[in-house]
Amino acid sequence: MKGVSMLNVPAVLAIYRFEMARFWRTALQSIVAPVISTSLYFVVFGAAIGSRVQTVDDIPYGAFIVPGLMMLSLLTQSVSNASFGIYFPRFAGTIYEILSAPISPLEVVLGFVGAAATKSIVIGLIILATASLFVPLHIAHPFWMVFFLLLTALTFSLFGFVIGLWADGFEKLQLVPLLIVTPLTFLGGSFYSIEMLPPFWRAVSLFNPVVYLVSGFRWAFFGRGDVAVGVSIAATLAFLTLCLGLVAYIFRTGYRLKS
Amino acid sequence: MQPIVSIANLSKVYASGLHALRGVTLDIAKGEIFALLGPNGAGKSTLINIVCGIVTPSEGMIRVGGHDIQSQYRAARRMIGLVPQELTTDAFEKVWDTVSFSRGLFGLPRDPGHIERVLKDLALYEKRESRIMQLSGGMKRRVLIAKALAHEPKVLFLDEPTAGVDVELRQDMWRLVRRLREQGVTVILTTHYIEEAEEMADRVGVIRKGEIILVEEKVELMRKLGKKQLTLHLREPVGTLPESLARHALQVGEGGRSLIYTYETRGERTGITGLLGDLADAGIAFTDLDTSQSSLEDIFVDLVRERA
Ligand SMILES: Nc1ncnc2c1ncn2[C@@H]1O[C@H](COP(=O)(O)OP(=O)(O)O)[C@@H](O)[C@H]1O
Ligand SMILES: [Mg+2]
């Protein structure tokens, strides 16, 4: 029962397609919403603040916030898509079919998390495209840009999956994104460089994992970040490993899926 | 022949501490229709859900088609189709898509021909482009059945398939079950309607408080169901019975100390008056008597009372 050759590919694809169908069914919200909110950010932050803060680290402020904006959406979208994706079948009871199917936990995760990550990457790219209408963009390290994009989407989709397993109500489902993910992202240097903070708050910020993601992502765009890129990469991989471990543990114990 | 489903010493204690199953041992033969009968809360769904992989067993061993359901879950589950008790369906998906999804989930390549056949068999083909939430309850149940048949299972579990469904669907269901049997599919269904077991099953198991208390061929069961026994404890042991008692077909108990008379409770005449008269004439005196119904009948009486 082991080995890649035993992977139930049709099952992974079935879950993946099912989840993506939900995304396309609500394409209007899925796609229009990020376009509108990105445009608003540009109006508020880019135009209003950007007229006072002209550059950060020699980067025009409008361009400077693009990686942070993308990260903000990537994080919130990954968490909400993945948590909703697995929570809903639990809530509706349709999870019975997945539990009774000849699929391994790994395949379930691949299907759900893969779809959630895909959605948030699509949204991230839409934001990038929208942003490029407002500011000229040049990506210094495209490979690493894609690397951070993929790994962040994956990591936070895994994180969302865990939340979707843990939640026993719609309130809890929204609690974590609202109380943890969004504040960490806003305080994680999405719209400013942590260099701009007083020393005390700069030190505090270094405990915020999102700082490393935003910094690495910004480095991929502009060749400069708040922390060394190697630290960002290490932090991203560490968080990914942590989420993978958490998911593996959950499935081993049958936590919240089986009685 | 090797049973297609083999359950040995299965127990389940839920996290709440509730003992839902106690040492259940049960073999299901390939191709039979097996009805698991029992009152609400007896453990029927728990038993099915464990075999299907939805609930984890606390103890015991289960094989489906010879495959252990835990260590060889892929091979075991590929053979199984499940129609759950609760009407749990997606809402926004279309009928065709949700049934195709089920097939993919079980690892099979697409086969529109098969999906079409299943939908037509269940009178769902016209509705294939409808969203599930637009369907009536009965139609949703048909969708659940279609999903369970999408991957051509060898063993089909129907958990209370006819609870709360209309007459038409009930009859369609019975037709479907017979057709599946002709194709060699084993069907295990739960119900608390005796007539349903009577109508559909080859064999019946009765479960009460987590224990299988009886498994019997239906024909045999029906024979026992309508019978009652009167036991007469004799003052003096008898050797051979006098000719005059032959028409009562009495059995002689151990050591000739008792006589056992079996009669139809459903019949208009039980023949008891005649028997007692003939016994008196033959000079056979008894000290005590008791009557017994098969314990199954007690259960059924309980069941009927619960339904009322
Ligand atoms: N997830 C669960 N957690 C705790 N107890 C449960 C759970 N599911 C069922 N039970 C209990 O187990 C017993 C058997 O339930 P069930 O198998 O659903 O019976 P049936 O299908 O025969 O009506 C009942 O007392 C029920 O309340
Ligand atoms: Mg039940």
Side-chain angles (χ1 to χ4, degrees), chain A residues 184-200:
Chain A
L184 283 185
T185 318
F186 272 92
L187 301 174
S190 294
F191 302 110
Y192 53 86
S193 164
I194 60 168
E195 296 298 320
M196 296 155 81
L197 298 174
F200 172 75

Side-chain angles (χ1 to χ4, degrees), chain A residues 54-76:
Chain A
Q54 249 108 56
T55 61
V56 180
D57 277 351
D58 300 331
I59 304 162
Y61 186 71
F64 176 84
I65 64 170
V66 172
L69 265 182
M70 285 179 73
M71 269 296 163
L72 178 64
S73 291
L74 218 51
L75 264 52
T76 49

Side-chain angles (χ1 to χ4, degrees), chain B residues 182-248:
Chain B
E182 281 160 24
Q183 294 163 15
V185 176
T186 308
V187 180
I188 297 157
L189 58 96
T190 72
T191 179
H192 47 246
Y193 299 122
I194 302 164
E195 317 87 80
E196 199 158 281
E198 208 170 328
E199 176 81 24
M200 296 219 263
D202 298 316
R203 221 152 51 104
V204 175
V206 178
I207 183 169
R208 189 172 58 179
K209 295 184 179 141
E211 282 177 275
I212 298 266
I213 51 176
L214 179 141
V215 177
E216 193 96 67
E217 297 285 333
K218 182 185 68 186
V219 180
E220 182 67 12
L221 190 66
M222 291 311 155
R223 201 179 60 75
K224 282 191 186 168
L225 247 178
K227 300 261 161 91
K228 201 166 174 179
Q229 289 184 326
L230 169 69
T231 305
L232 299 163
H233 302 276
L234 305 182
R235 184 171 290 158
E236 309 284 343
V238 291
T240 50
L241 286 174
E243 242 350 278
S244 61
L245 292 175
R247 69 182 178 104
H248 300 293

